[in-house]
Amino acid sequence: MEKLSYSVVIRTLGNTGEKYNALLQSIKKQTIKPDEIIVVIPNGYTLDYQLGIERIIRSPKGMISQRACGIMEAKSDYILVVDDDLEFSATLVEELYDYLSLNHLDVCFPMEGVESTEEKEKSKMIFQWKLSILMRSFFTGQMFISKRKSKFLDIITPTAGHKVFIKDKYKDGLYFCQTGNFQIHFIKTELAKRVQLENEKWLETGTISRYSAYDDPVYYYKLYLMGATMAYSLRTRYKHLDAGAGRIAHSKVEEKRIRYYTVAKNRTIFWKKFIWDYTSTIKKPFVLICGLYGMINYFMFSVLVSAYPKMWSAIQALCEGYKHAITYLLFHKIGDKSI
């Protein structure tokens, strides 16, 4: 195999302990060694573990700010972008690169979970037609597990949700994507930089916290609009150790306030910026109806599951999210159509 030049980019707060060390050890034992390891940590934070070969980059705190900084600093042909609480086999990069090359992809994802009897049974439970999944799909338009055969595993819908077309995540096959999971992916460096993630800091500003919902679809759907081909390597696996470093809520009410506000705000802006603005004039009425449907039904669903006094502040935060999204779209320039 030709020499593979790649960088590893890690976003961290430095507080995930042994789970971060597990990531470093996973990187260290790769059969194909990285040219560089870039660790992006906010000012004022410290690292408990180091391999001693990392390039430490300081940046403002934030999922988008740190990821954008790491991507822009990368100097290799490819980047393995990872969160700080993952663990994977020594052949992960080799498998992703082989799959990417074989299928002429620009971006490749591994699949979360270890292929074991326990995981397969869990997968079957997740991918069954459950009432809760149907309700969520109907009210929010976000996710809909389907038996339909498709070349796509995950697509963005006109409601600014996403629709999943796969019944068994252990059945091998090439499934393209319009969005994916930001926990880990392997990408051509030139493409990652073209996304200009640094221009999407609206995802983490004006929110109740630094939580940046909808960062995944913004990043990946921009790539899709550029013409990038993305797919999962279903046989390549990783473990999410879930350190919970990004969860800053101290109660269920606070967690719902943050999530409702940020999803309402960022999903609305995402719909306008990446769906409405890229829809032909003849299809705009349909997309408008879908957007309003997604907004109204997400509101109704949230009220339905939070309709008791203790959670009223979360519903108030949801309304504020929609209000601030509309205000932002009316009075702020959120970026030129440069894709």
Side-chain angles (χ1 to χ4, degrees):
M1 186 174 79
E2 62 181 284
K3 174 70 169 69
L4 171 60
S5 168
Y6 76 98
S7 306
V8 178
V9 170
I10 307 170
R11 173 196 64 84
T12 187
L13 297 179
N15 60 355
T16 54
E18 282 294 339
K19 294 176 181 180
Y20 179 61
N21 190 40
L23 169 68
L24 294 181
Q25 297 309 312
S26 296
I27 295 168
K28 182 180 179 180
K29 66 185 181 183
Q30 288 302 296
T31 53
I32 304 176
K33 306 301 181 186
D35 291 10
E36 58 179 353
I37 302 171
I38 300 170
V39 178
V40 186
I41 186 168
N43 299 313
Y45 286 73
T46 58
L47 289 168
D48 291 333
Y49 296 93
Q50 293 186 50
L51 293 174
I53 55 175
E54 300 93 328
R55 183 153 61 100
I56 311 299
I57 306 294
R58 294 284 176 178
S59 86
K61 182 182 177 182
M63 291 184 180
I64 301 303
S65 298
Q66 289 178 247
R67 283 168 172 156
C69 182
I71 288 170
M72 293 309 296
E73 286 286 333
K75 294 180 171 61
S76 304
D77 296 334
Y78 294 86
I79 307 176
L80 178 69
V81 181
V82 291
D83 278 355
D84 61 357
D85 55 358
L86 309 179
E87 186 176 32
F88 39 81
S89 73
T91 59
L92 178 121
V93 171
E94 184 177 350
E95 289 177 35
L96 291 179
Y97 179 66
D98 286 348
Y99 196 80
L100 181 142
S101 301
L102 177 66
N103 295 291
H104 308 289
L105 302 173
D106 299 303
V107 187
C108 188
F109 314 93
M111 181 65 77
E112 183 180 355
V114 179
E115 192 168 5
S116 64
T117 302
E118 181 182 352
E119 284 291 329
K120 286 185 177 181
E121 290 303 314
K122 184 179 178 181
S123 173
K124 288 178 183 177
M125 290 176 63
I126 293 171
F127 281 85
Q128 286 175 355
W129 290 88
K130 290 188 175 181
L131 180 61
S132 60
I133 294 176
L134 291 172
M135 285 182 63
R136 182 182 176 191
S137 301
F138 176 76
F139 280 106
T140 70
Q142 274 192 290
M143 184 175 70
F144 200 82
I145 309 301
S146 175
K147 293 180 179 178
R148 171 182 160 185
K149 291 182 179 180
S150 173
K151 290 182 179 180
F152 279 83
L153 182 147
D154 203 342
I155 66 170
I156 294 293
T157 69
T159 64
H162 66 107
K163 197 167 185 177
V164 180
F165 289 112
I166 188 170
K167 188 68 176 173
D168 184 357
K169 69 177 183 179
Y170 293 99
K171 183 179 180 180
D172 199 19
L174 179 62
Y175 296 95
F176 296 106
C177 302
Q178 292 178 339
T179 185
N181 192 328
F182 224 145
Q183 287 175 3
I184 178 169
H185 66 282
F186 191 71
I187 183 171
K188 294 178 179 178
T189 303
E190 180 269 334
L191 263 179
K193 293 185 177 185
R194 275 182 57 198
V195 172
Q196 297 183 311
L197 193 58
E198 63 274 12
N199 292 340
E200 310 300 339
K201 291 183 181 179
W202 57 269
L203 284 160
E204 63 184 19
T205 58
T207 59
I208 295 174
S209 73
R210 304 297 286 178
Y211 177 65
S212 58
Y214 265 70
D215 50 331
D216 296 10
V218 166
Y219 178 75
Y220 293 118
Y221 199 60
K222 281 187 78 170
L223 285 166
Y224 171 76
L225 292 173
M226 290 175 186
T229 53
M230 303 177 284
Y232 278 86
S233 174
L234 298 185
R235 291 183 178 179
T236 307
R237 301 282 161 170
Y238 73 96
K239 290 182 182 179
H240 181 207
L241 303 177
D242 197 10
R247 290 195 286 271
I248 46 77
H250 301 292
S251 68
K252 288 185 178 180
V253 176
E254 185 182 4
E255 189 276 332
K256 274 203 171 185
R257 275 180 52 79
I258 292 169
R259 178 160 48 87
Y260 281 4
Y261 175 91
T262 314
V263 170
K265 171 182 167 286
N266 290 359
R267 181 181 178 182
T268 302
I269 296 174
F270 172 82
W271 174 86
K272 165 62 170 62
K273 187 176 181 182
F274 297 106
I275 298 177
W276 174 263
D277 286 355
Y278 284 87
T279 298
S280 62
T281 303
I282 196 170
K283 292 183 179 179
K284 280 191 184 293
F286 169 73
V287 170
L288 178 61
I289 292 170
C290 290
L292 291 172
Y293 174 88
M295 178 186 292
I296 293 169
N297 282 287
Y298 183 68
F299 174 81
M300 291 173 60
F301 179 76
S302 301
V303 169
L304 183 68
V305 299
S306 307
Y308 45 99
K310 189 177 180 181
M311 288 295 178
W312 285 350
S313 64
I315 301 304
Q316 182 183 11
L318 177 74
C319 295
E320 289 175 1
Y322 282 128
K323 176 184 174 183
H324 291 169
I326 293 169
T327 302
Y328 191 78
L329 290 170
L330 288 175
F331 298 107
H332 293 76
K333 184 179 180 182
I334 58 176
D336 297 324
K337 279 180 56 175
S338 57
I339 296 174

